[in-house]
Amino acid sequence: MNNNYTINHFNDLVVRAGKVNNVVYTDFLNLNEQLYFQNLPNNSDVICILWGGFDLSLRKMAAIIPRDYLYDSNVNIDFPFSLVKIEPVNHKFSDKLSHRDYLGALTSTGVDRSMFGDIIVEEEQAYYLCSNKVLDYVLSSIESIKRTNVVSKIVSSDILFELKKEECIFNIYPYHKEISQKIKFKEINATVSSFRLDKLVSLACKVSRAEAVSIINQKRVFINDETVTKNDYILPDNCVMTVRGYGKFNIILSFEKNSKDKYHLKLLKYI
């Protein structure tokens, strides 16, 4: 995250939370933006909790909480988003809708992407997280996707928190554990001589090294939601690589070499 405006905005939110001695929430953050809150110094006057509504969520809001506020007997942390289920009015005559179709429908409302969390797609329906700021507008704006008439409804969104004040630790329980179970991966195991971006794009997308370089040069590769255009960029462990036209991959690296002097890695492709 190198956008000075974004960093200054986050700084302002942290200062504001301290001044009003109350919880301040961000909009949904991408993976790179979340690093700001993960890297706050330990002596900060606030702590931050990142939460996207369910286990394995990628896009999350941050709750910025003054440390003194934690000891208030009336402490209340309530992330301002709702879980929405969207499905065809008539499943029998509906198109097969993809993640791109649902995302396109949401952004076509004119609402910024930061108002939406993850989108989980099933065979004939999808779930998405929506900021309460725009919830009513979005629900009333989407009546069809492609040629399919759809209906949306809010799913029960009770988020349970157990706060251990003396340790300043939050244990967060997702309101729909089954949502996490809907996320499916195809696992790819391989060995590589290095963790260069062009090598991993070639491996993940099953294209030649030259094609991988072309894809990178076309600015179609994102690491933790940030565009990367250097072929020799070394991927960090447990990052998310998105390649437009090919999909999204969770990259899990092993830094121990095998007998052939190569590294093991695991690619989890979202399907």
Side-chain angles (χ1 to χ4, degrees):
M1 179 182 60
N2 53 16
N3 186 310
N4 288 331
Y5 170 79
T6 301
I7 294 174
N8 290 337
H9 175 60
F10 290 165
N11 287 337
D12 290 342
L13 292 178
V14 169
V15 171
R16 193 173 91 196
K19 284 184 176 180
V20 301
N21 196 33
N22 207 337
V23 184
V24 173
Y25 300 93
T26 67
D27 296 328
F28 283 101
L29 307 171
N30 65 35
L31 292 166
N32 203 50
E33 291 167 336
Q34 291 169 33
L35 293 176
Y36 172 91
F37 296 100
Q38 292 170 351
N39 294 329
L40 282 177
N42 292 332
N43 62 352
S44 173
D45 292 333
V46 301
I47 66 168
C48 293
I49 305 299
L50 292 165
W51 180 234
F54 60 93
D55 293 339
L56 304 179
S57 60
L58 297 178
R59 297 179 61 81
K60 300 175 182 179
M61 284 188 178
I64 307 166
I65 310 164
R67 289 188 182 275
D68 292 343
Y69 183 80
L70 292 173
Y71 297 94
D72 187 332
S73 59
N74 296 316
V75 62
N76 181 35
I77 311 298
D78 186 12
F79 281 87
F81 57 68
S82 298
L83 179 66
V84 179
K85 180 180 180 180
I86 183 168
E87 60 183 332
V89 173
N90 189 326
H91 289 268
K92 185 176 180 180
F93 300 105
S94 65
D95 293 319
K96 184 174 178 60
L97 301 175
S98 66
H99 184 281
R100 179 178 295 181
D101 295 325
Y102 287 108
L103 177 58
L106 293 174
T107 55
S108 69
T109 62
V111 174
D112 190 78
R113 182 68 175 96
S114 64
M115 294 292 107
F116 302 110
D118 287 7
I119 303 170
I120 308 301
V121 179
E122 291 190 299
E123 286 296 322
E124 297 183 337
Q125 61 193 18
Y127 297 85
Y128 67 90
L129 283 301
C130 182
S131 169
N132 291 342
K133 293 179 184 177
V134 298
L135 180 62
D136 290 340
Y137 172 74
V138 173
L139 289 176
S140 64
S141 297
I142 301 177
E143 296 181 346
S144 64
I145 302 177
K146 296 174 73 173
R147 297 170 299 177
T148 300
N149 292 329
V150 297
V151 60
S152 303
K153 65 178 181 180
I154 301 171
V155 180
S156 174
S157 56
D158 295 329
I159 307 176
L160 304 179
F161 295 90
E162 178 183 317
L163 175 59
K164 299 180 181 179
K165 295 183 181 180
E166 66 280 4
E167 299 177 18
C168 297
I169 295 175
F170 281 87
N171 291 325
I172 304 176
Y173 300 90
Y175 49 74
H176 272 288
K177 291 185 178 180
E178 66 268 23
I179 297 297
S180 294
Q181 296 169 0
K182 296 178 187 298
I183 302 177
K184 298 179 181 179
F185 301 96
K186 177 182 179 181
E187 184 173 319
I188 304 169
N189 291 283
T191 57
V192 292
S193 57
S194 75
F195 300 130
R196 284 174 54 113
L197 181 60
D198 51 1
K199 284 191 175 185
L200 269 67
V201 170
S202 174
L203 175 66
C205 301
K206 298 182 179 179
V207 298
S208 69
R209 190 77 168 269
E211 289 175 298
V213 170
S214 176
I215 291 170
I216 295 168
N217 290 339
Q218 292 170 29
K219 299 182 179 180
R220 292 166 57 190
V221 180
F222 303 82
I223 304 299
N224 290 344
D225 296 324
E226 286 287 297
T227 307
V228 179
T229 56
K230 293 184 178 180
N231 301 326
D232 60 353
Y233 174 82
I234 302 299
L235 274 75
D237 186 24
N238 201 26
C239 65
V240 175
M241 179 176 74
T242 304
V243 184
R244 282 185 179 165
Y246 291 91
K248 182 181 293 184
F249 308 83
N250 189 12
I251 312 292
I252 301 174
L253 309 177
S254 171
F255 295 95
E256 294 184 5
K257 291 186 176 182
N258 62 15
S259 58
K260 296 183 179 180
D261 205 32
K262 290 191 175 184
Y263 299 100
H264 290 281
L265 69 84
K266 180 187 296 184
L267 300 175
L268 299 177
K269 182 178 182 180
Y270 291 75
I271 57 176

